[in-house]
């Protein structure tokens, strides 16, 4: 690993800890987070040339605190702000720690910061953006590129989120016990959405955005270290690892999408698979059952099959039936229909899909058309399948998915009579 990569990894690990230190000391999440971003930028420039400091966290805290103080002092029109800063500086407890004086590991604020960024007062888009910036250490430009929006748009989104935190007076502390479980579900959902956007990008020319999948895995792994006994945290990490294990086999060299049944499984990441199976096995043995554990268990069944035809589809169907009871949603029904078709035939899968025709959550969504097309093709109804594939292709903004669906439709097209030559 070169120095630049090592610095980048270290900065992402330390970013939430440094934000937590400043917010815990001084409050004002918005200005503290901006100051930390400046400190991270300074470190990214200086450390590769000058070397990583002996106490990198203390270095970042020192630089960010100075930026924060400078920012307050620059607002000379408001003497009250000057008084506040002056009052903070002499306090021995609030002084910036020197090298070797960082907070002990049990004062790591990463989990508290995750809960803050995923507060229900924020919109889902704001939760995603703020988590990637404050906890993930990504710059606004990096987040904007990942979600294919202009940097100015993403900057406004992040700014509004920070202003919302300030306006609502959300405290920087762990939520009380009655709220914690519900808030943890929000945190897990945000990490799940970040991973999904990276694994199958919703728009643009690329199928994957590895900076998002990698960051989601890193943050979930950190969360698992903080909450090692939580079964759903372990389940989500296992699900991510088992899913990401297939990434290299999901596309041809030219970017063409390869469906699960046709993937070269020798290209799957065995290290991710082994780690994911170990995590989900442990979680299922001691924790209360939850939806992420069930999804990970389904992924593990696929991962354990040497060939597509060796998949234990009956077990997959049973797991989907259980998942439908624990956490019913239309995406679960879509996947359940495919598994059911593999066990009981395409007709059974198509019958299950009829329950989704009136579901507004899937209205106009290309995945319903794509799954129905697949099952119709299995049933030999090629004309109807072709129409559904084409409808699905029109409905997605992902270019790799469009090409794949159009190719499937083209394979089912009838021969062109005009292309047949006569005897004369």
């Amino acid at each position: 690993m070169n120095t630049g990569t090592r610095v980048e990894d270290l900065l992402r690990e330390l970013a939430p800890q440094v934000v937590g230190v400043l917010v815990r000391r001084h409050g004002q999440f918005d200005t503290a987070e901006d100051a930390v971003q400046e400190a991270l930028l300074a470190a990214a420039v200086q450390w590769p040339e000058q070397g990583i400091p002996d106490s990198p966290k203390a270095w970042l805290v020192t630089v960010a605190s100075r930026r924060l103080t400078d920012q307050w002092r620059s607002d000379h029109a408001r003497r009250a702000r000057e008084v506040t800063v002056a009052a903070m500086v002499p306090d021995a407890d609030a002084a910036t720690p020197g090298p070797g004086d960082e907070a002990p590991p049990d004062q790591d604020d990463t989990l508290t910061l995750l809960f803050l960024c995923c507060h229900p007062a924020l919109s889902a888009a704001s939760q995603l953006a703020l988590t990637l910036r404050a906890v993930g250490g990504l710059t606004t430009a990096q987040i904007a590129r990942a979600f294919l929006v202009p940097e100015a748009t993403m900057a406004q989104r992040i700014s509004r989120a920070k202003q919302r935190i300030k306006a609502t007076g959300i405290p920087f502390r762990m939520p009380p016990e009655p709220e914690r479980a519900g808030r943890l579900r929000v945190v897990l959902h945000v990490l799940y959405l970040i991973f999904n956007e990276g694994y199958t990008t919703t728009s643009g020319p690329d199928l994957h955005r590895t900076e998002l999948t990698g960051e989601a895995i890193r943050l979930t792994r950190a969360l698992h270290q903080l909450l090692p006994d939580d079964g759903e945290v372990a389940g989500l990490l296992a699900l991510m690892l088992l899913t990401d294990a297939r990434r290299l086999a999901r596309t041809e060299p030219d970017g063409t999408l390869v469906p699960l049944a046709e993937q070269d499984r020798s290209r799957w990441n065995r290290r991710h698979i082994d780690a994911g199976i170990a995590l989900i096995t442990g979680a299922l043995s001691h924790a209360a059952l939850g939806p992420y554990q069930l999804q990970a268990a389904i992924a593990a069944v696929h991962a354990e099959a040497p060939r597509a035809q060796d998949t234990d589809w009956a077990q997959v169907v049973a797991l989907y039936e259980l998942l439908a009871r624990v956490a019913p949603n239309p995406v679960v029904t879509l996947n359940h229909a495919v598994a059911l078709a593999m066990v009981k035939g395409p007709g059974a899968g198509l019958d299950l899909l009829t329950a989704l025709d009136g579901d507004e959550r899937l209205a106009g969504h290309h995945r319903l058309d794509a799954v129905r097309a697949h099952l119709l093709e299995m049933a030999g109804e090629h004309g109807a399948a072709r129409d559904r594939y084409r409808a699905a292709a029109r409905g997605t903004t992902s270019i790799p998915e469009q090409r794949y669906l159009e190719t499937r439709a083209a394979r089912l097209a009838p021969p062109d009579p005009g292309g047949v030559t006569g005897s004369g």
Side-chain angles (χ1 to χ4, degrees):
M1 181 183 297
N2 61 44
T3 302
T5 302
R6 189 156 60 93
V7 167
E8 183 178 349
D9 291 344
L10 182 59
L11 291 178
R12 288 189 178 181
E13 178 184 343
L14 292 176
Q17 300 177 38
V18 179
V19 173
V21 169
L22 264 68
V23 176
R24 180 159 36 80
R25 288 180 182 168
H26 308 306
Q28 301 191 24
F29 173 84
D30 53 343
T31 52
E33 198 275 333
D34 287 340
V36 171
Q37 285 292 322
E38 291 187 34
L40 293 172
L41 180 59
V45 172
Q46 295 179 33
W47 291 4
E49 294 183 1
Q50 301 175 9
I52 297 173
D54 292 337
S55 299
K57 179 178 174 182
W59 191 99
L60 290 168
V61 170
T62 299
V63 172
S65 296
R66 287 173 181 164
R67 299 292 168 89
L68 195 60
T69 301
D70 290 344
Q71 183 176 347
W72 282 332
R73 284 178 173 158
S74 68
D75 190 6
H76 53 78
R78 296 184 62 187
R79 183 164 181 77
R81 181 69 58 80
E82 289 284 354
V83 172
T84 301
V85 175
M88 286 179 177
V89 173
D91 186 352
D93 292 333
T96 300
D101 293 334
E102 298 106 318
D106 60 356
Q107 293 187 26
D108 186 345
D109 294 304
T110 300
L111 185 56
T112 305
L113 191 61
L114 261 173
F115 275 102
L116 179 65
C117 292
C118 298
H119 194 282
L122 303 177
S123 68
S126 295
Q127 291 171 345
L128 289 169
L130 205 56
T131 297
L132 286 170
R133 167 141 168 158
V135 188
L138 273 65
T139 66
T140 302
Q142 288 172 321
I143 302 168
R145 285 197 299 271
F147 286 94
L148 302 178
V149 300
E151 184 175 350
T153 301
M154 186 57 68
Q156 290 175 354
R157 187 175 300 171
I158 292 171
S159 178
R160 284 196 299 267
K162 291 191 287 188
Q163 290 302 316
R164 177 68 175 163
I165 289 175
K166 182 178 180 180
T168 54
I170 300 171
F172 185 73
R173 63 169 182 261
M174 288 293 291
E177 191 61 42
E179 297 178 21
R180 195 167 299 174
R183 291 276 294 279
L184 181 59
R185 284 196 294 271
V186 176
V187 170
L188 294 177
H189 184 60
V190 168
L191 295 174
Y192 179 70
L193 290 176
I194 292 171
F195 178 85
N196 282 348
E197 178 60 27
Y199 190 70
T200 303
T201 305
T202 51
S203 60
D206 301 314
L207 183 65
H208 305 113
R209 289 193 174 274
T210 54
E211 69 272 26
L212 289 182
T213 53
E215 195 58 27
I217 290 171
R218 187 186 72 82
L219 292 176
T220 308
R221 185 176 278 121
L223 187 60
H224 177 59
Q225 291 172 349
L226 294 167
L227 299 172
D229 297 325
D230 190 286
E232 280 294 81
V233 175
L236 179 57
L237 180 56
L239 175 62
M240 289 180 179
L241 292 172
L242 290 165
T243 304
D244 193 61
R246 309 174 199 153
R247 176 164 42 86
L248 291 179
R250 290 183 75 216
T251 54
E252 300 286 2
D254 63 358
T256 301
L257 191 151
V258 181
L260 179 62
E262 299 173 20
Q263 289 174 15
D264 177 0
R265 299 190 176 207
S266 68
R267 301 184 68 199
W268 286 4
N269 186 325
R270 289 308 314 180
R271 185 169 58 86
H272 272 16
I273 289 172
D274 292 343
I277 289 175
L279 277 166
I280 189 56
T281 301
L284 291 174
S285 67
H286 77 269
L289 193 62
Y292 292 117
Q293 293 169 67
L294 287 168
Q295 291 179 72
I298 292 167
V301 174
H302 288 293
E304 290 173 326
R307 303 172 301 167
Q309 57 266 39
D310 298 324
T311 304
D312 187 346
W313 284 107
Q315 185 179 358
V316 173
V317 168
L319 288 167
Y320 271 121
E321 289 174 350
L322 186 54
L323 181 58
R325 292 198 294 270
V326 171
N329 70 67
V331 175
V332 170
T333 305
L334 278 177
N335 293 324
H336 184 189
V338 174
L340 193 63
M342 299 301 293
V343 175
K344 297 185 176 181
L350 288 166
D351 288 343
L352 186 57
L353 287 184
T354 59
L356 298 176
D357 288 336
D359 194 317
E360 294 182 355
R361 293 170 294 180
L362 276 184
H365 199 291
H366 75 281
R367 295 204 184 281
L368 178 56
D369 281 323
V371 171
R372 181 167 274 130
H374 173 61
L375 299 186
L376 287 167
E377 183 180 0
M378 286 178 62
E381 299 182 35
H382 291 174
R386 182 178 64 251
D387 292 342
R388 290 301 90 203
Y389 277 129
R390 287 174 174 167
R394 291 192 298 270
T396 180
T397 53
S398 166
I399 293 175
E401 285 191 325
Q402 284 177 356
R403 289 173 177 164
Y404 169 76
L405 293 164
E406 289 167 353
T407 298
R408 300 294 297 192
R411 289 177 182 173
L412 299 175
D416 182 2
V420 179
T421 56
S423 57

